[in-house]
Amino acid sequence: MAGFEPATGVWRRSDDSRYDAVSIMADGTSNPACPPFVRIGIVLPVDRRASLDLRFPYGGYRVDGRTVGHARLSAHADGDGVAVQADGKHIGRRDRWHLAPVGGRCGEFGGEPAAGVAARSDVLGVIVEGCVAGRGFHWQSGHDVTLAGDLELSVVDSALMLVNVLPIEPYLEGVITSEMSGECPRAFMRAHAVVARSWIAAASERKHQSLGIDFCNDDCCQRYQGTAAVTPAARSAVSDTRGQVLIHRGGAVVDANYAKCCGGITESGDEVWGHAKSGQRGSVDAPASDRMHAFARVGDNNIAEYVAASIVNETRAYCSPAVVPAEVAARCLGRVDDGSTHFRWRVGYRADQLVDILQRKGLDRIGRTGSDGIAALRDLRVTRRARGGRAIDLTVEYVDRDDRHRSLAIHDQYWIRHALHESFLYSSAFDVRIERDDHDRVLSVELIGAGWGHGAGMCQVGALGMALQGFDHSAILAHYFDGSSVDAHGGHT
Ligand SMILES: [Zn+2]
Ligand SMILES: [Zn+2]
């Protein structure tokens, strides 16, 4: 297959939709018992970390050949290298450190447990303090992560970089319990595992190759916050679907994206990214007779009706509060999420607040500064929407500091969400309400919106809703992806 070939493994197509993941060992032989390893960036140069603290509470680790038990390890950027202390004692400075669990990589990648610690891979590993989640998004936060497998420490662009090297299947256990929680229904977790594995196998988005990693640990790629939240149910959801990926009719792996909550209608990949992705289509995320089907195409004529909070009482869309009640969402969302699905939302600004945000984020984006800056906002208009109502093009009309009337065009749902919020707007499916004074000056702007995320591929909250209603993982995947199939030889619940 074209696509994913991590340094230590390959994927081989078998006779159905299953990809056999095979590791190639150092001596060139293959080991079918051991899936390929992925290299995940946990701390990136962009995080600008000068130091990192790691704890080894559960098992023995080898730090460049030296066994470290229950120590606290401190790493500091020191020129182009990393200086490392164990329990306060300097143990050396190297360009790159390799930390490996005692007991080898394959099968025992979590290391051997220390005396008195249960041999559970969900608690084995290294705790890394203060890792970033949600880089640049409205949910950005810092938290500790537990990592199993090998670690590499180095300095890139004068900042520390930490890479976790681990087999792909336990990596997926971490992904599905970081994106959502390990408390989700089994059918949902199985579907999520297949989608996340397909995205990896399709490998169309290799954003970090220059850093020598396969993926980062965050929403930019897929969330991976380590092993601490992995539950037995999550582990069996991954093993039940081991090797399964979505296959499009043409035989290619579906480049399966997903987003948190579509708000009722998912988008096709070509409208969100400007190019078609095989197997992805926009769809109404609701049963056949639902009210949502009245919005087969959301445009200027019906966006106000679509985003209205009152629709919550009229729809049983799979991601709606009628199907996924708030208390279920709070339990099933990822632990760095804010507990809400944002099925419908409102964000309001005074004119000067929005000018300030646009000035810093919208105008900087296209490099205008100085006298080109915004003196007063005149209008904010969505000039193109995708089928599900998401703004793809936005025009900002304003008076500049030299009193000239100007306009600024912002393209792409990502940059629109970036420009219209202090950190990041939930989605670009919004209606714009502008309040003006008697002289037609803008006083305030309110964005009334639907959903959270780019909206293409699987709606995570919708898939959760389908699982709550008893759909199995194959039915969930067939709802969100076109002409796709998983594991023709069973595996359904
Ligand atoms: Zn990334
Ligand atoms: Zn949805």
Side-chain angles (χ1 to χ4, degrees):
M1 65 175 282
F4 189 62
E5 283 195 29
T8 52
V10 294
W11 289 59
R12 286 201 297 237
R13 179 79 186 275
S14 62
D15 56 353
D16 54 15
S17 58
R18 200 179 279 270
Y19 271 78
D20 291 331
V22 182
S23 268
I24 304 299
M25 310 314 281
D27 62 1
T29 60
S30 65
N31 181 354
C34 189
F37 289 82
V38 283
R39 297 173 56 81
I40 309 299
I42 304 294
V43 176
L44 299 184
V46 70
D47 298 334
R48 307 310 304 160
R49 293 293 297 267
S51 66
L52 270 181
D53 282 332
L54 293 79
R55 283 180 283 138
F56 299 80
Y58 303 121
Y61 260 70
R62 285 195 309 275
V63 181
D64 275 356
R66 178 195 305 236
T67 298
V68 175
H70 293 255
R72 173 181 287 269
L73 208 76
S74 303
H76 303 271
D78 180 8
D80 291 336
V82 185
V84 166
Q85 295 180 331
D87 285 338
K89 289 200 195 76
H90 180 72
I91 61 169
R93 179 194 174 284
R94 296 171 196 260
D95 287 350
R96 179 180 295 266
W97 290 86
H98 184 213
L99 283 56
V102 173
R105 299 175 79 187
C106 184
E108 296 176 276
F109 76 98
E112 290 166 353
V117 174
R120 290 167 48 204
S121 64
D122 56 330
V123 296
L124 294 176
V126 178
I127 295 176
V128 185
E129 300 182 346
C131 293
V132 175
R135 285 184 188 88
F137 291 95
H138 69 82
W139 55 92
Q140 179 166 329
S141 61
H143 61 120
D144 298 348
V145 297
T146 305
L147 302 171
D150 290 17
L151 298 171
E152 291 173 7
L153 264 170
S154 60
V155 165
V156 176
D157 297 337
S158 308
L160 287 172
M161 183 157 108
L162 179 70
V163 177
N164 188 193
V165 186
L166 78 168
I168 205 160
E169 298 290 323
Y171 161 68
L172 286 169
E173 296 170 3
V175 169
I176 66 171
T177 52
S178 303
E179 286 283 346
M180 299 285 277
S181 84
E183 306 299 316
C184 293
R186 175 167 293 194
F188 168 80
M189 291 201 283
R190 286 179 171 181
H192 206 323
V194 172
V195 170
R197 193 184 289 108
S198 303
W199 182 83
I200 294 167
S204 74
E205 298 177 60
R206 303 295 294 273
K207 300 174 181 174
H208 308 287
Q209 278 179 307
S210 63
L211 290 175
I213 58 176
D214 295 307
F215 310 108
C216 77
N217 60 337
D218 210 2
D219 298 276
C220 153
C221 291
Q222 305 193 98
R223 279 188 201 166
Y224 171 70
Q225 294 157 357
T227 58
V230 174
T231 55
R235 195 168 300 124
S236 54
V238 170
S239 65
D240 291 347
T241 63
R242 183 183 171 96
Q244 286 181 6
V245 291
L246 291 158
I247 302 291
H248 192 237
R249 286 192 195 93
V253 178
V254 173
D255 189 3
N257 291 94
Y258 53 88
K260 195 63 80 178
C261 176
C262 76
I265 301 176
T266 68
E267 305 287 4
S268 66
D270 53 347
E271 290 200 282
V272 171
W273 287 289
H275 57 273
K277 293 198 171 203
S278 67
Q280 279 194 25
R281 56 174 152 75
S283 59
V284 177
D285 196 14
S289 57
D290 192 81
R291 164 89 169 96
M292 244 348 133
H293 286 273
F295 301 100
R297 171 123 219 143
V298 180
D300 290 340
N301 60 320
N302 59 359
I303 182 78
E305 200 184 346
Y306 174 64
V307 298
S310 56
I311 203 167
V312 168
N313 303 319
E314 302 165 15
T315 179
R316 291 188 63 79
Y318 296 123
C319 54
S320 69
V323 176
V324 183
E327 64 275 14
V328 176
R331 190 173 75 239
C332 290
L333 286 168
R335 63 194 176 284
V336 301
D337 295 331
D338 62 8
S340 168
T341 63
H342 304 290
F343 184 74
R344 291 292 176 274
W345 50 262
R346 300 169 92 98
V347 172
Y349 301 106
R350 292 193 317 269
D352 63 306
Q353 288 175 319
L354 185 54
V355 164
D356 182 51
I357 292 171
L358 282 166
Q359 187 78 28
R360 283 183 285 117
K361 302 184 76 175
L363 297 191
D364 285 354
R365 160 96 179 109
I366 57 169
R368 293 186 185 183
T369 54
S371 64
D372 281 341
I374 302 179
L377 188 66
R378 296 182 62 231
D379 205 2
L380 192 70
R381 276 199 324 276
V382 175
T383 44
R384 189 159 70 96
R385 292 185 190 275
R387 171 195 167 178
R390 284 168 184 77
I392 302 297
D393 292 329
L394 181 86
T395 298
V396 181
E397 292 190 7
Y398 62 98
V399 180
D400 75 8
R401 288 172 187 157
D402 292 334
D403 214 23
R404 291 174 295 195
H405 284 204
R406 309 195 67 139
S407 71
L408 165 72
I410 304 176
H411 308 290
D412 192 295
Q413 60 88 29
Y414 179 92
W415 291 112
I416 291 169
R417 293 164 68 198
H418 168 84
L420 294 182
H421 195 275
E422 190 63 53
S423 52
F424 209 72
L425 196 63
Y426 301 121
S427 84
S428 74
F430 55 75
D431 188 24
V432 183
R433 306 271 173 85
I434 298 178
E435 188 191 357
R436 298 174 186 274
D437 68 10
D438 294 342
H439 304 284
D440 212 29
R441 287 181 296 230
V442 175
L443 293 175
S444 65
V445 174
E446 189 172 31
L447 307 174
I448 301 171
W452 175 8
H454 54 65
M458 184 179 78
C459 170
Q460 289 168 296
V461 176
L464 168 63
M466 290 185 76
L468 292 170
Q469 293 197 331
F471 290 95
D472 69 16
H473 82 287
S474 298
I476 293 170
L477 294 166
H479 173 67
Y480 292 107
F481 297 98
D482 203 14
S484 309
S485 61
V486 291
D487 189 13
H489 304 304
H492 301 183
T493 45

